[in-house]
Amino acid sequence: MLSARQAPPTIVPLRFLLFGVACLLAASVWLLVEPGVLLGPYVRPHTVALAHLLVLGCATSICMGAMYPVVPVALDSPLHSVRLAIPHTILHLLGVIAVVPAFYAWEMRGVATGGGLILTGAVLLTYNLARTLARTPRFGVVAGSVATTLAWMLLAMALGIAMAISKLHPLLPGDPMRWLHAHAHLGVLGIFVNLILGVSLKLLPMFVLADWRERPRSWAMLAMLNGGLVLLASGIALGSRALAIVSGLLVAAGFGIYAMEIAAILRARRRAALDPGLITFLGALAAIPPTCALGFVAATIGQASLAPALRLAYAFAALFGIVIPAIVGMLYKILPFLVWHRVYGPRVGREPVPTFAQMVSPPLQTATSTLFLVALALLLAGILDAQMAPVAGGAALWLLGLLCFVGNVARAMRHWWRSPPPAARERTKP
Ligand code: HEM
């Protein structure tokens, strides 16, 4: 069972999580104002800027923020240094604020500089969590997933900076599109999907009250996903389609084992009903097979006229179908957990306190997942058919769904401001 005893002060993750939600909101408004970013060739300044507002501003910030409490709590090892989180937060926020406008203006010096700030922050996070992991009583598959996520994060960011510098001085050899695809796969699969899969093996059993024990197949899943990604990135960078396809199959086999783990957890659960947050998360997992299929078609179709739209649809489905809904589903759990422990933890037994579930609105949760699903279908149809109307309609519905989610974030945060704890003395460990 998880205990909040090991968690760092709530404000440490909260800054990242709220910044991530603000970036997601900004990106969704942008999509509505400029739906044309999703039509036509995708390596264009505005499209790349929007992509990084989402991947760096939203997804990376939220993953980093979630790692601060989840790693110490799930692995029963206190955070090595709370103090190091402060320069990390400043570097990351400044880096994102610099990098997105630099992409927008296609100013590669700004991209490399902003990227350098983000990478330096990520190095601090990696050092901090590596020291934390070194003290965990048992280095299991969840710790392995966190460690590999951090490694991919550094590599994806370093490659991004190298790609930006290459546009000013020759640095990376060969076709830039290959590096771009390798970079995007390292980021999406190595950071987001890897972390979501690994950490969910610890969190999901807790949320549905199921016993889950790590077994050899859990390690096989991690090995296939990460080994497959090493080969996939190499295959893409070397331009070997055969290697890319074989390694893609290895990654897909890793997903297959993960699906078996999730099915076993759900079968063993003692909490029969699944709340809308969990359904959103499971819906994101269900989007993995069709997205992989889209990726295989995009990789094998060659230079057919539909190829650019398929590649864009594949990247889009990975972000809007898997990564963002999974993050939203997990945030419904993590955010109330953090706020509850900070505000109500000291009051338990002394006065009535709400449950985590009472801190968010289920109808708003259902509205978010329904609107996201319809919006995703419209947006994908618009991208594949190169039609503005479904893209604009999908962007409007997506924004509406997101506003429902932001409403729930505000509901959870209301407790933070409304009810300061009697003696708001959180542990502040240097
Ligand atoms: C230090 C941080 C980063 C820097 C400096 C950076 C740099 C770049 C550059 C220069 C490009 C355009 C390449 C070209 O046009 O040839 C690009 C594209 C891309 N990057 Fe990053 N990147 C960073 C982090 C990430 C992360 C963490 C992800 C996570 C998934 C990511 C995902 C992508 C994607 C999906 C594209 C393609 C976007 C599109 O075509 O619209 N990047 N990146």
Side-chain angles (χ1 to χ4, degrees):
M1 183 48 83
L2 300 188
S3 137
R5 202 168 34 89
Q6 308 282 23
T10 315
I11 193 70
V12 171
L14 209 58
R15 289 191 189 105
F16 280 97
L17 301 185
L18 294 181
F19 178 71
V21 172
C23 288
L24 180 55
L25 185 58
S28 305
V29 172
W30 184 346
L31 198 56
L32 182 67
V33 174
E34 195 187 349
V37 284
L38 292 186
L39 299 173
Y42 66 101
V43 186
R44 287 174 300 157
H46 290 199
T47 312
V48 181
L50 178 62
H52 286 84
L53 181 58
L54 279 166
V55 296
L56 285 172
C58 166
T60 305
S61 304
I62 292 177
C63 287
M64 285 171 163
M67 276 198 266
Y68 274 114
V70 167
V71 171
V73 171
L75 302 178
D76 200 20
S77 168
L79 184 66
H80 167 67
S81 164
V82 171
R83 209 179 280 162
L84 265 185
I86 297 170
H88 172 212
T89 311
I90 296 169
L91 286 164
H92 184 76
L93 266 55
L94 284 179
V96 172
I97 290 168
V99 101
V100 174
F103 271 123
Y104 192 88
W106 211 242
E107 175 32 77
M108 286 299 139
R109 274 185 193 80
V111 170
T113 310
L117 295 177
I118 296 171
L119 177 61
T120 311
V123 169
L124 295 182
L125 172 75
T126 303
Y127 172 75
N128 208 352
L129 290 186
R131 297 288 302 260
T132 307
L133 287 178
R135 286 197 304 222
T136 183
R138 212 184 139 264
F139 194 96
V141 76
V142 179
S145 139
V146 171
T148 48
T149 296
L150 291 167
W152 292 125
M153 183 182 283
L154 297 183
L155 194 61
M157 289 175 175
L159 181 54
I161 294 171
M163 280 157 47
I165 296 173
S166 282
K167 295 193 183 296
L168 302 167
H169 315 282
L171 183 64
L172 293 171
D175 180 358
M177 282 310 280
R178 288 187 196 155
W179 292 111
L180 169 66
H181 290 147
H183 164 74
H185 280 87
L186 289 179
V188 175
L189 272 177
I191 306 174
F192 309 137
V193 175
N194 193 18
L195 184 70
I196 290 166
L197 265 52
V199 169
S200 67
L201 289 179
K202 186 79 184 181
L203 297 187
L204 197 63
M206 186 189 77
F207 298 147
V208 300
L209 302 180
D211 287 326
W212 175 78
R213 294 269 171 278
E214 183 177 303
R215 351 166 204 213
R217 80 172 184 206
S218 325
W219 281 104
M221 175 210 93
L222 191 69
M224 283 181 182
L225 181 59
N226 285 281
L229 184 53
V230 172
L231 297 178
L232 183 66
S234 319
I236 295 173
L238 295 172
S240 162
R241 186 176 294 180
L243 183 57
I245 291 175
V246 169
S247 51
L249 289 172
L250 194 59
V251 172
F255 289 150
I257 299 181
Y258 174 73
M260 286 159 67
E261 295 282 26
I262 295 297
I265 292 170
L266 291 178
R267 270 198 309 272
R269 75 185 193 275
R270 296 193 296 283
R271 179 173 283 159
L274 297 173
D275 61 60
L278 276 181
I279 293 174
T280 309
F281 179 75
L282 294 174
L285 299 185
I288 295 178
T291 307
C292 288
L294 200 56
F296 277 110
V297 177
T300 46
I301 197 168
Q303 297 308 316
S305 61
L306 193 58
L310 269 172
R311 287 184 192 125
L312 182 55
Y314 166 53
F316 183 83
L319 277 182
F320 283 71
I322 304 173
V323 175
I324 296 174
I327 284 178
V328 164
M330 277 289 166
L331 272 186
Y332 280 133
K333 297 289 179 191
I334 294 174
L335 205 59
F337 174 88
L338 291 173
V339 175
W340 192 96
H341 277 286
R342 162 72 158 67
V343 176
Y344 298 114
R347 299 174 170 198
V348 174
R350 286 195 263 163
E351 58 184 86
V353 295
T355 61
F356 297 157
Q358 286 167 335
M359 294 170 73
V360 291
S361 150
L364 279 184
Q365 288 179 306
T366 308
T368 301
S369 39
T370 313
L371 286 163
F372 274 6
L373 194 62
V374 181
L376 182 66
L378 273 176
L379 285 159
L380 281 173
I383 292 171
L384 288 171
D385 204 22
Q387 293 294 326
M388 184 64 92
V391 170
L397 290 182
W398 178 272
L399 179 61
L400 215 56
L402 191 74
L403 288 174
C404 295
F405 170 66
V406 170
N408 257 332
V409 170
R411 277 179 76 100
M413 289 309 300
R414 231 173 27 167
H415 294 263
W416 174 275
W417 284 294
R418 205 194 261 170
S419 312
R425 304 285 168 259
E426 279 193 293
R427 198 166 41 90
T428 44
K429 191 174 87 58

